Coordinates of all heavy atoms in Angstrom, one line a residue:
V153 N 2.0 26.3 1.5 CA 2.9 25.4 1.9 C 2.6 24.7 3.3 O 3.1 23.7 3.8 CB 4.4 26.0 2.3 CG1 4.9 26.6 1.0 CG2 4.1 27.3 3.2
A154 N 1.5 25.3 4.0 CA 1.1 24.6 5.4 C -0.5 25.0 5.5 O -0.8 26.2 5.1 CB 1.9 25.0 6.5
L155 N -1.2 24.2 6.3 CA -2.6 24.4 6.6 C -2.7 24.1 8.0 O -2.6 23.0 8.3 CB -3.4 23.7 5.6 CG -5.0 24.2 5.5 CD1 -5.6 23.7 4.2 CD2 -5.8 23.8 6.7
N156 N -3.1 25.1 8.8 CA -3.3 24.9 10.3 C -2.0 24.1 10.9 O -2.1 23.3 11.7 CB -4.5 24.1 10.6 CG -5.7 24.9 10.4 OD1 -5.6 26.2 10.2 ND2 -6.9 24.3 10.5
G157 N -0.8 24.7 10.4 CA 0.4 24.1 11.1 C 0.9 22.8 10.4 O 2.0 22.4 10.7
A158 N 0.1 22.1 9.6 CA 0.7 20.9 8.9 C 1.1 21.1 7.5 O 0.4 21.8 6.7 CB -0.6 19.9 8.8
A159 N 2.3 20.8 7.2 CA 2.9 20.9 5.9 C 2.1 20.3 4.8 O 1.4 19.1 5.0 CB 4.3 20.4 5.8
V160 N 1.9 21.0 3.6 CA 1.2 20.3 2.4 C 2.0 20.5 1.3 O 2.7 21.6 1.1 CB -0.3 20.9 2.3 CG1 -1.2 20.5 3.4 CG2 -0.2 22.5 2.3
D161 N 2.0 19.5 0.4 CA 2.8 19.7 -0.8 C 2.1 19.3 -2.1 O 2.7 19.1 -3.1 CB 4.1 18.9 -0.6 CG 3.9 17.5 -0.6 OD1 2.8 17.1 -0.6 OD2 4.9 16.7 -0.5
S162 N 0.8 19.1 -2.0 CA 0.0 18.8 -3.3 C -1.4 19.5 -3.2 O -1.8 19.7 -2.1 CB -0.2 17.4 -3.4 OG -1.0 16.8 -2.5
Q163 N -2.0 19.7 -4.4 CA -3.3 20.2 -4.4 C -4.3 19.2 -3.8 O -5.2 19.6 -3.2 CB -3.8 20.4 -5.9 CG -3.0 21.4 -6.6 CD -3.4 21.6 -8.1 OE1 -4.4 21.0 -8.5 NE2 -2.7 22.4 -8.8
E164 N -4.1 17.9 -3.8 CA -4.9 16.9 -3.2 C -4.9 17.1 -1.6 O -6.0 17.1 -1.0 CB -4.6 15.6 -3.6 CG -5.3 14.4 -3.1 CD -4.8 13.1 -3.5 OE1 -3.9 12.6 -2.8 OE2 -5.5 12.4 -4.3
Q165 N -3.7 17.2 -1.1 CA -3.7 17.4 0.4 C -4.4 18.7 0.8 O -5.1 18.6 1.9 CB -2.2 17.5 0.7 CG -1.5 16.2 0.9 CD -0.1 16.4 1.5 OE1 0.6 17.4 1.2 NE2 0.5 15.3 2.1
V166 N -4.2 19.8 0.1 CA -4.9 21.0 0.5 C -6.4 20.9 0.4 O -7.2 21.2 1.2 CB -4.5 22.1 -0.4 CG1 -5.3 23.4 -0.1 CG2 -3.0 22.4 -0.1
T167 N -7.0 20.1 -0.7 CA -8.3 20.0 -0.8 C -9.0 19.1 0.3 O -10.0 19.6 0.8 CB -8.6 19.3 -2.2 OG1 -8.1 20.1 -3.3 CG2 -10.1 19.0 -2.5
F168 N -8.4 18.0 0.6 CA -8.8 17.1 1.6 C -8.8 17.9 2.9 O -9.8 17.9 3.8 CB -8.1 15.9 1.7 CG -8.4 15.0 0.8 CD1 -7.6 13.8 0.5 CD2 -9.4 15.1 -0.2 CE1 -7.8 12.8 -0.5 CE2 -9.7 14.1 -1.2 CZ -8.9 13.0 -1.2
K169 N -7.7 18.7 3.3 CA -7.7 19.4 4.6 C -8.7 20.5 4.6 O -9.3 20.9 5.6 CB -6.2 19.9 4.8 CG -5.2 18.8 5.2 CD -3.9 19.2 5.5 CE -3.0 18.2 5.7 NZ -3.3 17.6 7.1
L170 N -8.9 21.3 3.5 CA -9.9 22.2 3.5 C -11.2 21.8 3.7 O -12.0 22.4 4.4 CB -9.6 23.2 2.2 CG -8.7 24.2 2.1 CD1 -8.7 24.8 0.6 CD2 -8.9 25.3 3.1
L171 N -11.6 20.8 3.1 CA -12.9 20.1 3.3 C -13.1 19.7 4.7 O -14.3 19.9 5.3 CB -13.0 18.9 2.3 CG -14.4 18.3 2.2 CD1 -15.5 19.3 1.8 CD2 -14.4 17.2 1.2
D172 N -12.1 19.2 5.3 CA -12.2 18.7 6.7 C -12.4 20.0 7.6 O -13.3 19.9 8.4 CB -10.9 17.9 7.0 CG -11.1 17.2 8.5 OD1 -12.2 16.9 8.8 OD2 -10.1 16.8 9.0
V173 N -11.6 21.0 7.4 CA -11.7 22.2 8.2 C -13.1 22.8 8.0 O -13.7 23.2 9.0 CB -10.5 23.0 8.0 CG1 -10.7 24.4 8.6 CG2 -9.3 22.5 8.4
M174 N -13.5 23.1 6.7 CA -14.6 23.8 6.5 C -15.9 23.0 6.9 O -17.0 23.7 7.2 CB -14.7 24.2 5.1 CG -13.8 25.2 4.6 SD -13.9 26.7 5.6 CE -12.2 27.4 5.4
S175 N -15.8 21.7 7.1 CA -16.9 21.0 7.5 C -17.1 21.0 9.2 O -17.9 20.5 9.7 CB -17.0 19.5 7.0 OG -15.8 18.9 7.4
G176 N -15.9 21.5 9.6 CA -15.8 21.5 11.1 C -15.9 23.0 11.7 O -16.7 23.6 11.6
G177 N -14.8 23.4 12.2 CA -14.8 24.7 12.8 C -14.7 25.9 11.8 O -15.2 27.0 12.1
G178 N -14.2 25.7 10.7 CA -14.2 26.7 9.6 C -13.1 27.7 9.5 O -13.1 28.7 8.9
D179 N -12.1 27.4 10.3 CA -10.9 28.4 10.4 C -9.7 27.7 9.8 O -9.0 26.8 10.4 CB -10.6 28.8 11.9 CG -9.5 29.9 12.0 OD1 -9.2 30.5 11.0 OD2 -9.0 30.1 13.0
A180 N -9.4 28.2 8.6 CA -8.2 27.5 7.8 C -7.1 28.6 7.7 O -7.2 29.6 7.0 CB -8.6 27.1 6.5
R181 N -6.0 28.3 8.6 CA -4.8 29.2 8.4 C -3.9 28.7 7.4 O -3.2 27.6 7.7 CB -4.3 29.4 9.9 CG -5.1 30.2 10.9 CD -4.7 30.1 12.2 NE -4.9 28.8 12.8 CZ -4.1 27.9 13.1 NH1 -2.8 28.1 12.8 NH2 -4.3 26.7 13.7
L182 N -3.8 29.5 6.4 CA -2.9 29.0 5.3 C -1.5 29.7 5.5 O -1.5 30.9 5.4 CB -3.5 29.3 4.0 CG -4.8 28.8 3.6 CD1 -5.2 29.2 2.2 CD2 -5.0 27.3 3.7
M183 N -0.4 29.0 5.4 CA 1.0 29.7 5.2 C 1.4 29.6 3.8 O 1.3 28.5 3.2 CB 2.0 29.0 6.1 CG 3.3 29.5 6.0 SD 3.3 31.3 6.5 CE 3.2 31.0 8.4
V184 N 1.5 30.7 3.1 CA 1.7 30.9 1.7 C 3.1 31.4 1.4 O 3.5 32.3 2.2 CB 0.6 31.5 0.9 CG1 -0.7 30.9 1.2 CG2 0.6 33.0 1.3
S185 N 3.7 30.9 0.4 CA 5.0 31.6 0.0 C 4.7 32.4 -1.3 O 3.9 31.9 -2.2 CB 6.1 30.6 -0.3 OG 5.8 29.8 -1.3
R186 N 5.2 33.6 -1.5 CA 4.9 34.3 -2.6 C 6.2 34.2 -3.7 O 7.3 34.0 -3.3 CB 4.6 35.8 -2.2 CG 3.5 35.8 -1.4 CD 2.5 37.0 -1.6 NE 1.2 36.8 -1.3 CZ 0.5 37.4 -0.5 NH1 1.0 38.5 0.0 NH2 -0.8 37.2 -0.3
P187 N 5.9 34.6 -5.0 CA 7.0 34.4 -6.0 C 8.3 35.1 -5.6 O 9.4 34.6 -6.0 CB 6.3 35.0 -7.3 CG 4.9 34.9 -7.0 CD 4.6 35.1 -5.6
K188 N 8.3 36.1 -4.9 CA 9.5 36.7 -4.6 C 10.1 36.3 -3.3 O 11.2 36.8 -2.8 CB 9.3 38.4 -4.5 CG 8.9 39.0 -5.8 CD 8.7 40.5 -5.6 CE 8.5 41.2 -7.0 NZ 8.4 42.6 -6.8
G189 N 9.7 35.2 -2.8 CA 10.3 34.6 -1.6 C 9.7 35.0 -0.2 O 10.0 34.3 0.7
A190 N 8.8 36.0 -0.1 CA 8.2 36.3 1.0 C 7.1 35.4 1.4 O 6.4 34.8 0.5 CB 7.5 37.8 0.9
S191 N 6.8 35.1 2.8 CA 5.9 34.3 3.2 C 4.9 35.0 4.2 O 5.4 35.9 5.0 CB 6.6 33.0 4.0 OG 7.4 32.3 3.2
R192 N 3.7 34.6 4.3 CA 2.8 35.2 5.2 C 1.6 34.2 5.4 O 1.4 33.3 4.8 CB 2.3 36.5 4.5 CG 1.3 36.5 3.4 CD 1.0 37.8 2.9 NE 0.3 38.7 3.8 CZ -1.0 38.8 4.0 NH1 -1.8 38.0 3.2 NH2 -1.5 39.6 4.9
E193 N 0.8 34.5 6.5 CA -0.2 33.7 6.8 C -1.6 34.4 6.3 O -1.7 35.5 6.5 CB -0.4 33.5 8.3 CG -1.4 32.4 8.8 CD -1.5 32.1 10.2 OE1 -2.0 32.9 11.0 OE2 -0.7 31.2 10.7
V194 N -2.3 33.5 5.7 CA -3.7 34.0 5.2 C -4.7 33.1 6.0 O -4.7 31.9 6.0 CB -3.8 33.7 3.8 CG1 -5.1 34.0 3.2 CG2 -2.8 34.4 2.9

Side-chain angles (χ1 to χ4, degrees):
V153 296
L155 199 162
N156 286 351
V160 290
D161 63 359
S162 70
Q163 293 181 5
E164 181 182 78
Q165 282 186 328
V166 173
T167 300
F168 285 170
K169 287 182 178 295
L170 273 178
L171 188 57
D172 191 24
V173 170
M174 291 303 160
S175 65
D179 186 12
R181 289 171 284 105
L182 308 180
M183 181 60 67
V184 302
S185 63
R186 300 218 151 130
K188 294 184 179 180
S191 296
R192 69 187 301 267
E193 186 174 88
V194 174

